[in-house]
Amino acid sequence: MNNLTQSLAGVPLTRPTQAEAEEAIRTLLLWAGDDPRREGLLDTPKRVAKAYREWFCGYDEDPTELLARSFEEVEGYDEMVVLRDIRLESVCEHHMAPIIGRVHVAYLPAGRVVGISKLARVVDAFGKRLQIQEKFTAQVANTIQEVLRPKGVAVVVEAVHQCMTTRGVHKTGVSMVTSRMLGGFRDDPSTRREFMAMIQGGRGTVEG
């Protein structure tokens, strides 16, 4: 269910119209000190509203449904499945500044597997929302565990937060790392070490 159709304190939440969104952007341009009527800004409200639709398209996705179709013809394969270096593009819910990084996802199949593109789409479905990294990490891991019921799930997220690099303390070159380990990845140190070794191989610099 789309978050906008739910209610907060009994008050239904409805999505504003395109015109209302554009008017809100004009207000922000005025507040910033510019004139939304000048030539360079005339179409900015429309462009920003369109960009927001793309940046926050995750609200229209159901991550559970993305994992609904799985495959049982795996010839007994039960070793680790790892998808490494999934690009993360999200937005900080505190300052609405970009969060750019990468996500590493792994699971231990229990009789069935899912198409690897679906794992990347789950990352996008949660990433394309207002987020904090800790919550995002848990959401991805918990959803995979709940739908696929594997023997274990591991998610590691490395990201640069521009609410920290372009404002406030202005600390560049700093990335945040979060992880969520479930099942075999939490209980078995050797499985966890194997996963960490696999995602560290060929590691580059997080962009942002």
Side-chain angles (χ1 to χ4, degrees), residues 2 4 15 48-61 89-93 95-98 124-131:
N2 188 302
L4 292 174
R15 176 169 279 167
V48 173
K50 182 179 179 181
Y52 266 47
R53 283 287 196 180
E54 182 177 345
W55 289 333
F56 299 114
C57 63
Y59 288 113
D60 296 320
E61 290 269 19
E89 298 173 354
S90 192
V91 177
C92 164
E93 67 180 38
H95 298 96
M96 297 186 73
D124 278 348
F126 284 119
K128 299 289 188 178
R129 305 180 183 193
L130 292 167
Q131 280 289 10

CSV table of all heavy atoms in Angstrom, one decimal, residues 2 4 15 48-61 89-93 95-98 124-131:
chain,number,residue,atom,x,y,z
A,2,ASN,N,0.6,2.2,-0.9
A,2,ASN,CA,1.3,3.5,-0.9
A,2,ASN,C,1.2,4.2,0.4
A,2,ASN,O,0.1,4.3,1.0
A,2,ASN,CB,0.7,4.3,-2.1
A,2,ASN,CG,1.5,5.5,-2.3
A,2,ASN,OD1,1.8,6.4,-1.4
A,2,ASN,ND2,2.0,5.7,-3.5
A,4,LEU,N,1.0,7.2,1.0
A,4,LEU,CA,0.1,8.3,1.0
A,4,LEU,C,-1.3,8.0,1.2
A,4,LEU,O,-2.2,8.8,1.5
A,4,LEU,CB,0.3,9.1,-0.3
A,4,LEU,CG,1.7,9.7,-0.5
A,4,LEU,CD1,1.8,10.3,-1.9
A,4,LEU,CD2,1.9,10.8,0.5
A,15,ARG,N,-1.8,12.7,-2.0
A,15,ARG,CA,-0.7,13.3,-2.8
A,15,ARG,C,-1.2,14.6,-3.4
A,15,ARG,O,-2.2,14.7,-4.0
A,15,ARG,CB,-0.3,12.3,-3.9
A,15,ARG,CG,0.8,12.9,-4.8
A,15,ARG,CD,1.4,11.8,-5.7
A,15,ARG,NE,2.4,11.1,-4.9
A,15,ARG,CZ,2.9,9.9,-5.3
A,15,ARG,NH1,2.4,9.3,-6.5
A,15,ARG,NH2,3.8,9.3,-4.6
A,48,VAL,N,11.7,20.2,-11.3
A,48,VAL,CA,12.0,19.7,-9.9
A,48,VAL,C,10.9,18.7,-9.6
A,48,VAL,O,11.2,17.6,-9.0
A,48,VAL,CB,12.1,20.8,-8.9
A,48,VAL,CG1,12.1,20.2,-7.5
A,48,VAL,CG2,13.3,21.7,-9.2
A,49,ALA,N,9.6,19.0,-9.9
A,49,ALA,CA,8.5,18.1,-9.6
A,49,ALA,C,8.7,16.8,-10.3
A,49,ALA,O,8.5,15.7,-9.7
A,49,ALA,CB,7.2,18.8,-9.9
A,50,LYS,N,9.1,16.9,-11.6
A,50,LYS,CA,9.4,15.7,-12.4
A,50,LYS,C,10.5,14.9,-11.8
A,50,LYS,O,10.5,13.6,-11.7
A,50,LYS,CB,9.7,16.0,-13.8
A,50,LYS,CG,9.9,14.8,-14.7
A,50,LYS,CD,10.2,15.3,-16.1
A,50,LYS,CE,10.5,14.1,-17.0
A,50,LYS,NZ,10.8,14.5,-18.5
A,51,ALA,N,11.6,15.6,-11.3
A,51,ALA,CA,12.7,14.9,-10.7
A,51,ALA,C,12.3,14.2,-9.4
A,51,ALA,O,12.8,13.1,-9.1
A,51,ALA,CB,13.9,15.9,-10.4
A,52,TYR,N,11.5,14.8,-8.6
A,52,TYR,CA,11.0,14.2,-7.4
A,52,TYR,C,10.3,12.9,-7.6
A,52,TYR,O,10.3,12.0,-6.9
A,52,TYR,CB,10.1,15.2,-6.6
A,52,TYR,CG,10.9,16.0,-5.6
A,52,TYR,CD1,12.1,16.6,-5.9
A,52,TYR,CD2,10.4,16.2,-4.3
A,52,TYR,CE1,12.8,17.4,-5.0
A,52,TYR,CE2,11.1,16.9,-3.3
A,52,TYR,CZ,12.3,17.5,-3.7
A,52,TYR,OH,13.0,18.2,-2.8
A,53,ARG,N,9.5,12.9,-8.7
A,53,ARG,CA,8.8,11.7,-9.1
A,53,ARG,C,9.7,10.5,-9.3
A,53,ARG,O,9.5,9.4,-8.9
A,53,ARG,CB,7.9,11.9,-10.4
A,53,ARG,CG,6.7,12.7,-10.2
A,53,ARG,CD,5.6,11.8,-9.5
A,53,ARG,NE,4.3,12.4,-9.6
A,53,ARG,CZ,3.2,11.9,-9.1
A,53,ARG,NH1,3.3,10.7,-8.4
A,53,ARG,NH2,2.0,12.4,-9.3
A,54,GLU,N,10.9,10.8,-9.9
A,54,GLU,CA,11.9,9.8,-10.2
A,54,GLU,C,12.7,9.5,-8.9
A,54,GLU,O,12.9,8.3,-8.6
A,54,GLU,CB,12.9,10.3,-11.3
A,54,GLU,CG,13.9,9.3,-11.6
A,54,GLU,CD,14.8,9.8,-12.8
A,54,GLU,OE1,14.4,10.8,-13.4
A,54,GLU,OE2,15.9,9.2,-13.0
A,55,TRP,N,13.1,10.5,-8.2
A,55,TRP,CA,13.9,10.2,-7.0
A,55,TRP,C,13.1,9.5,-5.9
A,55,TRP,O,13.7,8.7,-5.1
A,55,TRP,CB,14.4,11.6,-6.4
A,55,TRP,CG,15.4,12.2,-7.2
A,55,TRP,CD1,16.3,11.7,-8.0
A,55,TRP,CD2,15.7,13.7,-7.2
A,55,TRP,NE1,17.1,12.6,-8.6
A,55,TRP,CE2,16.7,13.8,-8.2
A,55,TRP,CE3,15.1,14.8,-6.6
A,55,TRP,CZ2,17.3,15.1,-8.5
A,55,TRP,CZ3,15.6,16.0,-6.9
A,55,TRP,CH2,16.7,16.2,-7.8
A,56,PHE,N,11.8,9.6,-5.9
A,56,PHE,CA,11.0,9.0,-4.8
A,56,PHE,C,10.0,8.0,-5.4
A,56,PHE,O,8.9,7.7,-4.8
A,56,PHE,CB,10.2,10.1,-4.0
A,56,PHE,CG,11.2,11.0,-3.3
A,56,PHE,CD1,11.2,12.4,-3.7
A,56,PHE,CD2,12.0,10.6,-2.3
A,56,PHE,CE1,12.1,13.3,-3.1
A,56,PHE,CE2,12.9,11.5,-1.7
A,56,PHE,CZ,12.9,12.8,-2.1
A,57,CYS,N,10.4,7.3,-6.5
A,57,CYS,CA,9.5,6.4,-7.1
A,57,CYS,C,9.3,5.1,-6.2
A,57,CYS,O,8.5,4.3,-6.5
A,57,CYS,CB,10.0,6.0,-8.5
A,57,CYS,SG,11.6,5.2,-8.6
A,58,GLY,N,10.2,4.9,-5.2
A,58,GLY,CA,10.1,3.8,-4.4
A,58,GLY,C,8.8,3.7,-3.6
A,58,GLY,O,8.4,2.6,-3.2
A,59,TYR,N,8.2,4.8,-3.4
A,59,TYR,CA,6.9,4.8,-2.7
A,59,TYR,C,5.8,4.1,-3.5
A,59,TYR,O,4.8,3.7,-2.9
A,59,TYR,CB,6.4,6.2,-2.3
A,59,TYR,CG,7.3,6.9,-1.2
A,59,TYR,CD1,8.1,8.0,-1.5
A,59,TYR,CD2,7.2,6.4,0.1
A,59,TYR,CE1,8.8,8.6,-0.5
A,59,TYR,CE2,8.0,7.0,1.1
A,59,TYR,CZ,8.8,8.1,0.8
A,59,TYR,OH,9.5,8.7,1.8
A,60,ASP,N,6.0,4.0,-4.8
A,60,ASP,CA,5.0,3.3,-5.6
A,60,ASP,C,5.4,1.8,-5.9
A,60,ASP,O,4.7,1.2,-6.6
A,60,ASP,CB,4.9,4.0,-6.9
A,60,ASP,CG,4.4,5.4,-6.8
A,60,ASP,OD1,3.5,5.6,-6.0
A,60,ASP,OD2,4.9,6.4,-7.5
A,61,GLU,N,6.4,1.4,-5.2
A,61,GLU,CA,6.9,0.0,-5.4
A,61,GLU,C,6.6,-0.8,-4.1
A,61,GLU,O,6.8,-0.3,-3.0
A,61,GLU,CB,8.4,-0.1,-5.7
A,61,GLU,CG,8.8,0.4,-7.1
A,61,GLU,CD,8.8,-0.7,-8.1
A,61,GLU,OE1,8.1,-1.8,-7.8
A,61,GLU,OE2,9.4,-0.5,-9.1
A,89,GLU,N,21.1,5.2,-4.5
A,89,GLU,CA,20.8,6.6,-4.7
A,89,GLU,C,19.6,6.9,-3.8
A,89,GLU,O,18.5,6.4,-4.1
A,89,GLU,CB,20.6,7.0,-6.1
A,89,GLU,CG,21.7,6.7,-7.0
A,89,GLU,CD,21.4,6.9,-8.5
A,89,GLU,OE1,20.2,7.2,-8.8
A,89,GLU,OE2,22.3,6.9,-9.3
A,90,SER,N,19.8,7.6,-2.7
A,90,SER,CA,18.7,7.8,-1.8
A,90,SER,C,18.7,9.3,-1.3
A,90,SER,O,19.6,10.1,-1.8
A,90,SER,CB,18.7,6.9,-0.6
A,90,SER,OG,17.5,6.9,0.2
A,91,VAL,N,17.8,9.6,-0.4
A,91,VAL,CA,17.7,11.0,0.1
A,91,VAL,C,17.6,11.0,1.6
A,91,VAL,O,16.7,10.2,2.1
A,91,VAL,CB,16.6,11.8,-0.6
A,91,VAL,CG1,16.4,13.2,0.0
A,91,VAL,CG2,16.8,11.8,-2.1
A,92,CYS,N,18.4,11.7,2.3
A,92,CYS,CA,18.3,11.8,3.8
A,92,CYS,C,17.0,12.4,4.2
A,92,CYS,O,16.6,13.5,3.7
A,92,CYS,CB,19.5,12.6,4.3
A,92,CYS,SG,19.3,13.2,5.9
A,93,GLU,N,16.3,11.8,5.1
A,93,GLU,CA,15.0,12.3,5.5
A,93,GLU,C,15.1,13.5,6.5
A,93,GLU,O,14.1,14.1,6.7
A,93,GLU,CB,14.1,11.2,6.2
A,93,GLU,CG,14.6,10.7,7.5
A,93,GLU,CD,13.8,9.6,8.1
A,93,GLU,OE1,13.2,8.7,7.3
A,93,GLU,OE2,13.6,9.6,9.3
A,95,HIS,N,17.5,16.1,6.1
A,95,HIS,CA,17.8,17.4,5.4
A,95,HIS,C,17.5,17.3,3.9
A,95,HIS,O,17.7,18.3,3.1
A,95,HIS,CB,19.3,17.7,5.5
A,95,HIS,CG,19.8,17.9,6.9
A,95,HIS,ND1,20.3,16.9,7.7
A,95,HIS,CD2,19.7,19.0,7.7
A,95,HIS,CE1,20.6,17.4,8.9
A,95,HIS,NE2,20.2,18.6,9.0
A,96,MET,N,17.0,16.2,3.4
A,96,MET,CA,16.6,16.0,2.0
A,96,MET,C,17.8,16.2,1.1
A,96,MET,O,17.7,16.8,0.1
A,96,MET,CB,15.4,16.8,1.6
A,96,MET,CG,14.2,16.5,2.4
A,96,MET,SD,12.7,17.4,1.8
A,96,MET,CE,12.4,16.5,0.2
A,97,ALA,N,19.0,15.7,1.6
A,97,ALA,CA,20.2,15.8,0.8
A,97,ALA,C,20.5,14.4,0.3
A,97,ALA,O,20.1,13.4,0.9
A,97,ALA,CB,21.4,16.3,1.7
A,98,PRO,N,21.3,14.3,-0.8
A,98,PRO,CA,21.5,12.9,-1.4
A,98,PRO,C,22.4,12.0,-0.5
A,98,PRO,O,23.2,12.5,0.2
A,98,PRO,CB,22.3,13.3,-2.7
A,98,PRO,CG,21.9,14.7,-3.0
A,98,PRO,CD,21.7,15.3,-1.7
A,124,ASP,N,16.4,-0.5,-4.7
A,124,ASP,CA,15.9,0.7,-5.3
A,124,ASP,C,14.5,1.1,-4.6
A,124,ASP,O,14.3,2.3,-4.4
A,124,ASP,CB,15.7,0.6,-6.8
A,124,ASP,CG,17.0,0.9,-7.5
A,124,ASP,OD1,18.0,1.4,-6.9
A,124,ASP,OD2,17.1,0.6,-8.7
A,125,ALA,N,13.7,0.1,-4.4
A,125,ALA,CA,12.4,0.3,-3.9
A,125,ALA,C,12.5,1.0,-2.5
A,125,ALA,O,11.7,1.9,-2.2
A,125,ALA,CB,11.6,-0.9,-3.8
A,126,PHE,N,13.4,0.6,-1.7
A,126,PHE,CA,13.6,1.2,-0.4
A,126,PHE,C,14.5,2.5,-0.5
A,126,PHE,O,14.3,3.4,0.3
A,126,PHE,CB,14.2,0.2,0.6
A,126,PHE,CG,13.2,-0.8,1.2
A,126,PHE,CD1,13.4,-2.1,0.9
A,126,PHE,CD2,12.1,-0.4,1.9
A,126,PHE,CE1,12.5,-3.1,1.4
A,126,PHE,CE2,11.2,-1.3,2.3
A,126,PHE,CZ,11.4,-2.7,2.1
A,127,GLY,N,15.4,2.4,-1.4
A,127,GLY,CA,16.3,3.6,-1.5
A,127,GLY,C,15.7,4.8,-2.1
A,127,GLY,O,16.0,5.9,-1.7
A,128,LYS,N,14.7,4.6,-3.0
A,128,LYS,CA,14.1,5.8,-3.6
A,128,LYS,C,12.9,6.3,-2.7
A,128,LYS,O,11.8,6.5,-3.1
A,128,LYS,CB,13.5,5.4,-5.0
A,128,LYS,CG,14.6,4.9,-6.0
A,128,LYS,CD,15.4,6.1,-6.5
A,128,LYS,CE,16.3,5.6,-7.6
A,128,LYS,NZ,17.2,6.7,-8.1
A,129,ARG,N,13.3,6.5,-1.5
A,129,ARG,CA,12.4,7.1,-0.5
A,129,ARG,C,13.2,8.0,0.4
A,129,ARG,O,14.4,7.9,0.4
A,129,ARG,CB,11.7,6.0,0.4
A,129,ARG,CG,11.0,4.9,-0.5
A,129,ARG,CD,10.4,3.9,0.4
A,129,ARG,NE,9.7,2.8,-0.3
A,129,ARG,CZ,8.9,1.9,0.1
A,129,ARG,NH1,8.6,1.9,1.4
A,129,ARG,NH2,8.4,1.0,-0.6
A,130,LEU,N,12.6,8.8,1.2
A,130,LEU,CA,13.3,9.5,2.3
A,130,LEU,C,13.8,8.5,3.3
A,130,LEU,O,13.0,7.6,3.8
A,130,LEU,CB,12.4,10.5,2.9
A,130,LEU,CG,12.0,11.7,2.0
A,130,LEU,CD1,10.8,12.5,2.7
A,130,LEU,CD2,13.2,12.6,1.8
A,131,GLN,N,15.0,8.5,3.6
A,131,GLN,CA,15.6,7.4,4.4
A,131,GLN,C,16.6,7.9,5.4
A,131,GLN,O,17.1,9.0,5.4
A,131,GLN,CB,16.3,6.4,3.5
A,131,GLN,CG,15.4,5.4,2.7
A,131,GLN,CD,14.9,4.4,3.7
A,131,GLN,OE1,15.0,4.5,4.9
A,131,GLN,NE2,14.2,3.4,3.1
